[in-house]
Amino acid sequence: MATAPEVHGALPPNPLDQSMDLKDPSPSNNTDKKVHPQKVQLAEDSSVTKAEKHERQVAADDFVDSPSKRRRLDTNGENGDPGPTRSERQKGVAPVKPEFLIFPPGSKEDRNATVADDDAAEGVAHLDQSKGDKRGKKREKSQGQNTHRNFGASRDEVGLCASRANSPEFSPGECRFGDSCKFEHDLRKYLRYWKREDLKTFEGICPIWKMKGKCDVGWKCRFVGSHSQEMQTEDGSKELILIEGGRGDERLPIAGVSDIGTINDVSTQSKADLTKRKVQTPKADRYTEWIDKSGKEMEEHIQKAAKQRRTTDGNIEEMEENRANFTEPPLLPSEKRRIYFGPETPVLAPLTTQGNLPFRRLCVGLGAQVTYSEMAMSLPLIQGHKSEWALLRAHESEALPPAYKSVTTVVRDYDNGKDFKFGAQIAANKPWQALKATEILTKFCPHLRVIDLNCGCPIDLVYRTGAGSALLDSPGKLEKIVRGMNGVSGEVPVTVKIRMGTKDNKPTAIKLVDRLAYGSQDALDTGVGSCGAAAITLHGRSRQQRYTKNADWEYISECATLIKQYNEKGDDLADTARQPDSRNQPPNDRVYFLGNGDCYSHIDYQRHLEEAKVDSVMIARGALIKPWIFEEIEKGQYIDKSASERLALVEQFVRNGLEAWGSDEMGIGTTRRFLLEWLSFAYRYVPVGILEHLPPNLQDRPPAWRGRNDLETLLGSDNYKDWMKISEMFLGPAHKDFNFQPKHKSNSYEIEAEG
């Protein structure tokens, strides 16, 4: 076992000291000191550490001792209380080395200590609140995701009029509201009375202006002093002006990429046209009519088929005659862009709340190869809601192609140079909503790898409308939605994310996977064939289960085997009547299959690839707690990030947030809010250097522990007030009206990390 750092001696600098330099500490600083429990990974078993090998040897040496003798040797004190011993791995508890525990092993405090069960808290909010609820519609309407959480407000006491925000003092723009405008027009008065003082973080220099050469929020920037000055005019008066320059990027404009480096930016006019119903969706409208008509024809077919089974053997000629009685779809799917999922493409899952642009950008920089938007609801997209369309914005790094090892992998007609990392995920409860949203997305968002249909969201508010995981109980409707989306999506492939089922111990995913891959018997009998899903992702839990148990990778493996057999044997598995139409087949003439649930290390990732035989693994909570899991997967080893390295990731998130949401008061408040949301997961990380056993388990919760230095202890704190202190290192003191209620302390639903 590696020697732990001594805790006595001089303490490192306090990271909360306002005078502390925000730059990374020097290499000699104690905060960078690392303790690696495994300096050498043995080739024969990289998951076994030296500590574990030593423990095995000790166990072998002590084999002759009886359990009772060992218990006597391990006790001390007058009452025989157990003293500090070499611990065995305890299920559900992170195996922290004794020297890093706040309470010694076996002590009264240690035995009485409770491990916070955040997953159980998440499950409480998932209970069906409609049972026994007699409080009326008004109360019920206020329930839902995060409705009990209040974040306050982060804005100037009196805002500056937009006509003045980016103009010199003496040359303001024209305000169309004139004297009735409720915002401030006097620039000096705004800067003196209504705007909070400039931040001193980032050396007092606006990070956006420093990088881009221009700050879009102008005078409202909390770093405005770094890109403004007072100039004397010819008549001797002094004028406040904004400075453009900084270092700035000298890159040339890229098609489809905004000046702030984002893609899929939908114009204000386009959203207004959606609101006014001026955007036509002819393909979706035609296909929806066909779905309604074919549904009635199917009812007649079922009645006729039942009669045929009683009178005939149902030969192929009769089945072909039946097909002729059905109306064909109004349009066949267009040829899809080829996609690829493989061992080199770990996937960042769609994450409600935390799957925002700054966090996805952070993960891409750490090695995530495929990303998804937060789940967007179809109806608000169709209606042009700004907040919903904001979920579809992505960073330009997500427009790059994912990793692809063409030397070892050959995919027919796959052009990696035309592929993207970023895909959109939508939810819908009716076919017409999903189809319209799909057609609109392909019209306004040119950088989409896939459009994924969410069939796993367990949120009550979504489930009760018939969307999300409710579709698992309506396989016929789900099949229609996927087939219709595939028909109207143009060259963009359609994928599906599902759970094992809605009820515990009643999995339905195997039947559903079969249906999604090759179509139901009724659909094949009528000639419409497969619904054309390009990929299926299975989360190894039911809706009811939530996170109270480990993901069922054995069940995921069963489904993966089914898909593998279909991909290998193809039409040989079916009779002639079930022969699929090639025009309805998914891209690459195969269905990719991904697993999701409890992936927290490169060991987990490789084990799932090898044992479950999935094409790739989708990672959710593991990435929230440890974003560099993608880096570990790429390098194939544990990475013991120092506290200062982890703090640098926090700084990078803040920079990403300021670029995405702005450096004004509102943008800083938004960045702070989502940073705190991320820290509510990130604090759960226990450095591998202080663990006795590897690999770490995502479901483990640590007892009270201290880090190898003050900063590491702070980053591991479960007190949201400490998270606020971390945010203040880069964003300064919070606005007086800002409020943050951690989700595990409120009655609202936890961040929906699907896995």
Side-chain angles (χ1 to χ4, degrees), residues 222-273:
R222 289 291 306 279
F223 302 90
V224 69
S226 65
H227 51 80
S228 66
Q229 64 181 18
E230 192 175 51
M231 295 285 292
Q232 187 168 351
T233 62
E234 295 180 355
D235 61 1
S237 58
K238 294 182 178 180
E239 179 183 20
L240 293 173
I241 63 170
L242 294 170
I243 303 172
E244 292 189 9
R247 294 182 182 179
D249 287 343
E250 300 298 332
R251 66 180 184 181
L252 296 174
I254 303 175
V257 179
S258 70
D259 57 354
I260 60 172
T262 57
I263 57 175
N264 296 333
D265 285 288
V266 181
S267 67
T268 303
Q269 184 59 51
S270 296
K271 285 177 279 193
D273 290 342

Side-chain angles (χ1 to χ4, degrees), residues 77-115:
E78 297 180 357
N79 298 325
D81 292 334
T85 62
R86 175 181 56 79
S87 63
E88 297 180 359
R89 187 154 193 172
Q90 181 181 352
K91 184 177 180 181
V93 180
V96 178
K97 295 177 181 178
E99 57 265 36
F100 294 103
L101 293 175
I102 294 179
F103 304 117
S107 66
K108 181 177 180 180
E109 293 85 353
D110 177 58
R111 292 196 299 270
N112 292 337
T114 57
V115 179

Side-chain angles (χ1 to χ4, degrees), residues 132-432:
D133 189 357
K134 300 179 180 180
R135 291 172 290 182
K137 294 182 178 180
K138 185 176 182 180
R139 175 62 178 172
E140 184 174 354
K141 184 177 181 180
S142 67
Q143 295 177 346
Q145 186 183 13
N146 302 333
T147 53
H148 293 278
R149 305 176 72 204
N150 177 23
F151 298 100
S154 295
R155 55 174 59 93
D156 296 322
E157 189 172 348
V158 177
L160 181 65
C161 180
S163 64
R164 269 68 173 167
N166 291 281
S167 303
E169 182 182 9
F170 296 160
S171 305
E174 182 178 354
C175 176
R176 61 192 183 98
F177 297 102
D179 295 336
S180 62
C181 181
K182 63 179 181 179
F183 296 104
E184 183 61 68
H185 284 195
D186 188 326
L187 179 59
R188 290 183 182 268
K189 185 177 180 181
Y190 166 77
L191 295 175
R192 183 174 181 181
Y193 296 108
W194 310 131
K195 179 181 175 295
R196 295 176 70 198
E197 63 180 358
D198 278 6
L199 293 174
K200 302 299 188 295
T201 56
F202 299 107
E203 299 178 346
I205 300 175
C206 175
I208 301 175
W209 177 81
K210 185 176 182 179
M211 183 175 61
K212 303 290 184 182
K214 180 182 179 181
C215 179
D216 294 327
V217 297
W219 293 109
K220 295 188 288 185
C221 176
R222 289 291 306 279
F223 302 90
V224 69
S226 65
H227 51 80
S228 66
Q229 64 181 18
E230 192 175 51
M231 295 285 292
Q232 187 168 351
T233 62
E234 295 180 355
D235 61 1
S237 58
K238 294 182 178 180
E239 179 183 20
L240 293 173
I241 63 170
L242 294 170
I243 303 172
E244 292 189 9
R247 294 182 182 179
D249 287 343
E250 300 298 332
R251 66 180 184 181
L252 296 174
I254 303 175
V257 179
S258 70
D259 57 354
I260 60 172
T262 57
I263 57 175
N264 296 333
D265 285 288
V266 181
S267 67
T268 303
Q269 184 59 51
S270 296
K271 285 177 279 193
D273 290 342
L274 286 169
T275 302
K276 298 175 182 178
R277 300 183 180 181
K278 292 183 178 181
V279 178
Q280 302 299 316
T281 54
K283 292 190 292 185
D285 294 340
R286 291 173 59 194
Y287 216 103
T288 301
E289 291 178 4
W290 174 80
I291 289 176
D292 294 338
K293 184 176 182 180
S294 63
K296 297 177 181 178
E297 293 175 344
M298 181 60 68
E299 292 179 2
E300 298 176 359
H301 164 71
I302 292 174
Q303 296 176 358
K304 185 176 181 180
K307 182 178 180 181
Q308 281 184 340
R309 292 189 188 101
R310 292 193 298 266
T311 57
T312 69
D313 294 332
N315 56 47
I316 295 175
E317 289 76 11
E318 290 173 339
M319 292 183 180
E320 292 294 338
E321 183 179 350
N322 287 336
R323 291 184 179 183
N325 295 327
F326 286 89
T327 305
E328 292 187 354
L331 62 159
L332 290 171
S334 302
E335 183 175 356
K336 304 298 180 184
R337 185 193 316 115
R338 298 302 196 258
I339 60 173
Y340 169 74
F341 287 100
E344 66 270 41
T345 59
V347 180
L348 175 64
L351 304 167
T352 301
T353 302
Q354 194 48 60
N356 49 65
L357 186 154
F359 183 76
R360 296 197 312 268
R361 180 181 174 185
L362 178 70
C363 290
V364 168
L366 292 169
Q369 296 301 319
V370 179
T371 63
Y372 288 89
S373 71
E374 299 179 55
M375 180 185 70
M377 300 303 294
S378 293
L379 189 57
L381 287 175
I382 298 169
Q383 295 171 339
H385 291 192
K386 295 180 181 178
S387 58
E388 214 70 20
W389 278 100
L391 304 178
L392 278 304
R393 291 178 64 212
H395 188 255
E396 58 183 326
S397 60
E398 297 177 89
L400 299 175
Y404 176 60
K405 297 179 181 179
S406 58
V407 176
T408 58
T409 306
V410 178
V411 180
R412 183 170 60 86
D413 297 332
Y414 173 64
D415 187 348
N416 181 252
K418 294 182 179 180
D419 203 355
F420 308 120
K421 287 184 169 70
F422 179 72
Q425 188 186 68
I426 63 173
N429 63 349
K430 294 181 175 62
W432 72 267

Side-chain angles (χ1 to χ4, degrees), residues 7 12 210 222 295 321 337 514 550 565 691 704 735 751 754:
V7 297
K210 185 176 182 179
R222 289 291 306 279
E321 183 179 350
R337 185 193 316 115
D514 176 80
N550 292 330
Q565 291 173 348
L691 291 177
H735 191 279
I751 292 176
E754 290 291 314

